[in-house]
Amino acid sequence: MGDLVNPSESTYDVVVVGAGIVGAACAYFLVKEGLRVAVLERGIAGGGATAAAMGHLVVMDDSPAQLALTKLSLQLWKELEEQLPSSAEYRQTGTLWIASDDEEMAEVRRKYELYRSVGLACGVLDSTALGEAEPKLRRPLAGALRVLGDGVIYPQAAAQFLLRGVAERGALFTDCNVVSIQGSTVLLGDRTRVSAGHIVNAAGCAAPELTPGIVMRKRKGHLILTDRYPGFLRHQVVELGYLKSAHSVAGDSVAFNLQPRATGQILIGSSRQYDNEDAAVDQDIVRRIMERACEYIPEVATLSVLRMWTGFRAATPDKLPLIGPSPENPKVLLATGHEGLGITTSTATGRLITDTILQQKSPIPQEPYLPSRMSSEAVHSDSFVV
Ligand SMILES: Cc1cc2nc3c(=O)[nH]c(=O)nc-3n(C[C@H](O)[C@H](O)[C@H](O)COP(=O)(O)OP(=O)(O)OC[C@H]3O[C@@H](n4cnc5c(N)ncnc54)[C@H](O)[C@@H]3O)c2cc1C
């Protein structure tokens, strides 16, 4: 951060509001292209939803646009692998999408065909092969899709790594509250103003406070972290029913989703709740998560739990993030609304935001993610899709 104490003391090409993983990735790609960047964060870097996340880097295919964004993101994470510090705990564990019956096996085959058609390395495991891949899983299960390029990362350390370069061509200011964005100027809580060619609103769930009119809902999630059990699990394992849970728009949902951390700890998820902004841990949800985990891996019941916490995902009506110019103010670029995929898709978001500012072609079309899609369709908070 150098010797600057106030961001108004210097000039910047871009001001990024928010030092979560999304703001950090935007800053990373902007700095890499030689732009001067100030990142303004009202708390600590990576301390928002980023600190609450599981860190599963995963390809998803709810829509062609989601598949394109997650696939590009995984490629970009892979390209960063050599530079990531060991503290970021990046590992290509692969994902096992578990099918418990014939209906879910049909979904395994559909995903397999689709993923293969776009060049993703994957394979179908039958019941026996699944048991060999993850011996702790209950038997019999119908099978699974193994997606080899998926991985895991420690989100807060990854965000801090992405912000490192900012010190060379700009600055990171923490404890720096942005109260409003006016044109291409941000107003800070201490009444100073910082101007730049572009402002990136990467304030996560708080983005609508700075850009009124963004339609987003907070989606609460719980996670549970165990003591160290090296070798307990090899892959990120997720029930295919997770997709039903992720798609649900009404009520609370819980799905089996387990991650082996590099430390040997097991991260147990996951839950989704709308209309609950209380950050407290809900013991009933925790019980349901543990019961679901034990249905798939009975030995989970014997693991010692160290910690549990909650966080909030920023959900848009069509389950795609908002990446690109604000319809009301093209000097402001939105980079928010990543719901449960923001750790994964931060890299592609940073790439797309940088390409927009530099007016250069992106590796994938930007249209599906443009915020203007919301205003043109008169989207309201009751139009969240299933
Ligand atoms: C329980 C849970 C599990 C998850 N698991 C995964 C997963 O396995 N894989 C995955 O890809 N994603 C996962 N996610 C989603 C992921 O955490 C989010 O999509 C991602 O962290 C969003 O990053 P962000 O930078 O947009 O938001 P945040 O991390 O919330 O960052 C926004 C930042 O902006 C700052 N800010 C806000 N307002 C202001 C202001 N006015 N002035 C200055 N600063 C401001 C905040 O302090 C914050 O640091 C999970 C989320 C949850 C809740």
Side-chain angles (χ1 to χ4, degrees), residues 56 58 242 272 313-315 337-344:
H56 184 200
V58 56
Y242 170 89
R272 281 179 151 80
R313 310 169 179 96
H338 293 74
E339 216 268 354
L341 277 175
I343 307 304
T344 305

Side-chain angles (χ1 to χ4, degrees), residues 22 35 57 71 140 150 199 226 298 352:
V22 172
L35 298 177
L57 303 177
K71 181 170 174 269
D150 287 359
I199 312 293
T226 73
L352 263 56

Side-chain angles (χ1 to χ4, degrees), residues 17-23 40-58 176-179 202-206 209-210 219-223 236 259 271 309-314 335-345:
V17 183
I21 194 118
V22 172
L40 312 183
E41 164 58 52
R42 70 180 170 191
I44 58 166
T50 297
M54 203 173 204
H56 184 200
L57 303 177
V58 56
C176 182
N177 186 32
V178 174
V179 292
C205 285
E209 293 167 21
L210 301 173
R219 214 169 182 195
K220 184 175 175 180
H222 285 70
L223 287 177
Q236 177 103 18
Q259 178 180 100
S271 67
W309 64 85
T310 68
F312 294 91
R313 310 169 179 96
T336 185
H338 293 74
E339 216 268 354
L341 277 175
I343 307 304
T344 305
T345 55

Side-chain angles (χ1 to χ4, degrees), residues 71-110:
K71 181 170 174 269
L72 172 62
S73 296
L74 265 290
Q75 274 167 22
L76 294 170
W77 278 118
K78 185 76 189 153
E79 285 168 23
L80 286 171
E81 183 176 12
E82 297 290 303
Q83 300 157 56
L84 284 165
S86 57
S87 60
E89 298 176 8
Y90 171 82
R91 287 182 310 139
Q92 206 171 311
T93 54
T95 301
L96 288 181
W97 289 99
I98 312 285
S100 49
D101 55 28
D102 289 348
E103 191 190 344
E104 290 184 352
M105 265 320 267
E107 175 63 6
V108 159
R109 290 192 194 91
R110 184 201 66 80

Side-chain angles (χ1 to χ4, degrees), residues 9 14 19 28 55 97 106 109 163 185 207 225 233 245 302 312 340:
E9 289 174 14
V14 183
Y28 175 87
W97 289 99
R109 290 192 194 91
L163 287 163
T185 299
L225 184 69
L233 206 62
S245 150
T302 68
F312 294 91

